[in-house]
Amino acid sequence: MIKERLLDLPNEIENKKTTLLSMQTHLRNEKEKLQMWELTELASISSEVDGNGKAKYSNDTKRKAELQRRIDVSEEYAGIEELVKKLEGKVDILNIQLEKLLNEQGNLRAICRLEGRE
């Protein structure tokens, strides 16, 4: 039983690492979408002018406040942000599962060494 399990574990570990890598890539892409959304909105905010041709959001505090207001009302941003949180949770779970498999592999190797001495 131990031998079969030790032979199966490398494939399970590889599959878990591949899934984790894919999930991390997806997470990184979604975070980049959030950043691009924010940069696009910030550029729009910075270029807005009032009726007199003066900057509508003349200082950094006003620009940040307007950006936050837009974030708060954006369904697109909220959707991406929710997906990011879900992906972060999945990445955490995959890391725990991978660590468990690696621990199991180490424990089984230790058992084999102990049984080999007897």
Side-chain angles (χ1 to χ4, degrees), residues 25-36:
T25 300
H26 189 190
L27 175 59
R28 190 171 37 257
N29 290 339
E30 294 303 316
K31 284 182 175 183
E32 287 173 4
K33 282 182 189 177
L34 283 179
Q35 289 175 337
M36 287 304 299

Side-chain angles (χ1 to χ4, degrees), residues 62-108:
K62 288 181 181 179
R63 287 188 293 273
K64 285 182 182 178
E66 178 59 17
L67 177 61
Q68 188 58 54
R69 185 195 69 73
R70 291 182 186 193
I71 287 171
D72 292 343
V73 299
S74 173
E75 290 181 19
E76 178 186 5
Y77 191 93
I80 297 170
E81 193 173 44
E82 183 179 334
L83 179 57
V84 164
K85 288 177 184 176
K86 285 180 183 177
L87 290 171
E88 286 173 338
K90 288 180 180 182
V91 164
D92 289 343
I93 289 169
L94 285 168
N95 275 315
I96 291 167
Q97 293 171 341
L98 178 59
E99 187 177 340
K100 178 187 175 280
L101 290 174
L102 293 169
N103 288 338
E104 180 182 359
Q105 186 180 46
N107 291 343
L108 290 174

Side-chain angles (χ1 to χ4, degrees), residues 3 12 14 16 23-24 31 33 40 54 57 62 78 80 94 102 108 110 112 116:
K3 181 180 178 181
E12 286 183 43
E14 177 188 21
K16 197 63 70 176
M23 196 70 61
Q24 287 171 329
K31 284 182 175 183
K33 282 182 189 177
T40 301
K54 293 185 179 186
Y57 304 102
K62 288 181 181 179
I80 297 170
L94 285 168
L102 293 169
L108 290 174
C112 285

Side-chain angles (χ1 to χ4, degrees), residues 2 6 102-118:
I2 292 175
L6 278 171
L102 293 169
N103 288 338
E104 180 182 359
Q105 186 180 46
N107 291 343
L108 290 174
R109 285 178 179 166
I111 290 169
C112 285
R113 283 192 298 272
L114 288 171
E115 287 182 357
R117 290 181 187 163
E118 294 175 6

